[in-house]
Every structure is written in C-alpha cells, then in structure tokens.
Amino acid sequence: MRNYFSGIVGNQKLTERLSMDIEENKIPHALIIEGDTGSGRHTVVKYFAAALSCERRNGSEALPCRKCPSCEKIFGEKSPDIIKIGLEGEKTSIGVDAVRFMKTDIFVEPNDLKYKFYIIEDAEKMTVQAQNAFLLSLEEPPPYVVFILICNNSSLLLETVRSRALTVRTERLSPQIMRDYLLTESKEAKSLFQTSGDEFEELLLSCDGSIGRALMLLNSKERKKLFSDRDIASKIISLAADRDLKKAFDILSALGQKRQEICQRLLLVQTAVRDLIVLKKCEKPELCFYTDTEKAGEISTHFTLSSLFDIYGAAAEAVDCLEKNANVRLTLLNMFIASKLL
Ligand SMILES: [Zn+2]
C-alpha cells in the first residue's frame, strides 16, 4: 500500500488508515482529527487534501507530489477550495452563523481542486446549536465536499456529529523519534545539540512528544522562558529538602502573579515530583523532568514517598484553585504550607 503521508513523522496508525481509504477510494466526507495542539493535525490535513487533489495521482511517483499546481496551492495555503472556519476575534465559541455560511457555500462547486475542504478549527468549541445546524450539512453533503474537524477532545462533540465522521488521532512522539526528526530536519536543533547538549535534552523532555512545541522551543526567547520556569520548579523542590524561610518567600514572589504562568510552573513542579516518586519505585525509570538520572536519584534521597505525595497533591490542588479563579496569594500560601515548604 502506498503511503500518502511521507512528511508525517510517527503516527503510523493514522497514516495507514487514511492511506488505505485513499487507496480504496473510500473518501470519508467528514473527518475528525483529534490531538494535542502542535501534534501535527494541520500537516495531516495538508497531506490528506493533497493526496486527494494531486494532479499526478496516476503516475508512479510518491504522492502527493508537492510540485503540481494543486499540491503547491495546498501546501502554500493558497487554495480557495480549502475554507477555514474557527473562533473569530475574542469569541470563545463557534456559533450558528459560521455554520450557516457553510450550509449555503457547500453548493458552490470547487474552484480548481477536485474536492472542497471545510476545515473547522477548535471544532469542540462549536455551540450545541451550531453543531445541530451543522448536522444538516453533514448528513448529505455534495459529493465533492469534505469536512475536517480539528479538535483536542472529540468527546466534547455531540454524538450525532461524531457518528457521522471518521475519527483519527495524532499521537505523541517518543523522545527517540523526536530526537531523530529534529536532528535531521532542523538546523536550529542541530546547532543547539552541538553547542549545548544539556539544553537540547531539556527541550526534548519539555516538548511532550509534540513537534510543534519543539519547534516553538527552538526559538531562544521561548526557550529562555521555559528554562526560567524549570529553574523555579527546581528551586521549589530544593526548598522542600532544606526548608529556608527567606528562600521560600523569594520563590513565592518568583512564581509571579499571572494565573496561567503560575499554573505552568506548578505543572513543572508536579512533573519533577513525579520523577522523584518514580525514582523511588523503579530501577530504570523514564524521566520527564530531570535530564540527569543520577543527580535526580540523589535529590530523591532527601524525601520520603509520603512527603513527595504531599507536594504533588498540594501543587495539583493549587492549579485546580487557580483555574477556578481563587485568590492567587492565598492559594500559593496554602500550597506552601500544605507541602511543608513554610
Ligand atoms: Zn501533486
């Protein structure tokens, strides 16, 4: 079977399934692509649309060819037959208006591609009314229409929508696949690997299997921010080991005032504590925060399992409270007291 997704790293299950459908000409008229932001969902869309539209489909070369006018338009994001719908301006949901536009537009035949693709970004943000209105288009679209719903979590879509579409999922990539991809495809990654192996390893651990996130972190400004967050998380862990009141208050203010930033930092604390727990339980653990297993092993000797669970639980509760709009200072103070950092 031909692989129509040669530019997609990993994700074998998804690429095999879609390649099989393309090969057998069983084109789904609605496709849900579920996965984390930065996990390659938009790249899948481009390859899928190009595989169906490539003008060299009958040739023997690799498909999509990426050179014919149709492929060039799709990969260059210039095709009028690829229509994107999503959150507008400051809105937090996709309303019925966006869907009404599609309802009539689908009857206008494609401009120059064989198919017309409607990409609904953040599809789970469609209101219930919008999804119900969308059902009408979804039930009997013209044969040239393909709807592609991109989302983080398809379970938030109505069952009636999900049952009329094929759902595929993008996967997190293993650190080894990420490493190979970045070192062959990215000049910045190669240069970082050569100049600072440690920073490269920290980047790999922090990108959580997402190429999009890895590419973002190759930007030195973003990386600096990440390393400063990791530094705060490490300081909280060392504070738990040596308990110093002055340091505790310094770290409390270093955690900042912005909820989202504090939550990100506390999630790093949880990841670090998770590593220390795993180090106590497993002989050959796979770490998610520390790049140096030996050093992390030494840190873990300063804690009992129960004290680690206390810190983990307190950080998790603080994140939960901050997301529910609780007072920032009091929440952090409670967390520090519950983790015995104060
Ligand atoms: Zn082509």
Side-chain angles (χ1 to χ4, degrees), residues 2 12 20 29 61 78 109-110 200 205 216 250 270:
R2 247 193 241 236
Q12 201 183 352
M20 192 173 75
H29 281 285
E61 58 188 307
K78 285 178 193 143
E109 293 203 0
F200 181 76
L205 279 183
M216 184 192 83
D250 287 347
Q270 284 177 267

Side-chain angles (χ1 to χ4, degrees), residues 224-238:
K224 208 173 151 195
K225 196 176 160 304
L226 165 77
F227 290 154
S228 135
D229 288 351
R230 284 177 57 91
D231 186 50
I232 294 175
S234 297
K235 279 183 178 155
I236 290 181
I237 302 294
S238 53

Side-chain angles (χ1 to χ4, degrees), residues 50 53-57 62-72 75:
S53 315
C54 181
E55 292 162 38
R56 298 186 186 164
R57 275 201 76 174
L63 281 177
C65 76
R66 300 199 60 158
K67 292 173 201 148
C68 70
S70 296
C71 281
E72 278 193 344
F75 285 101

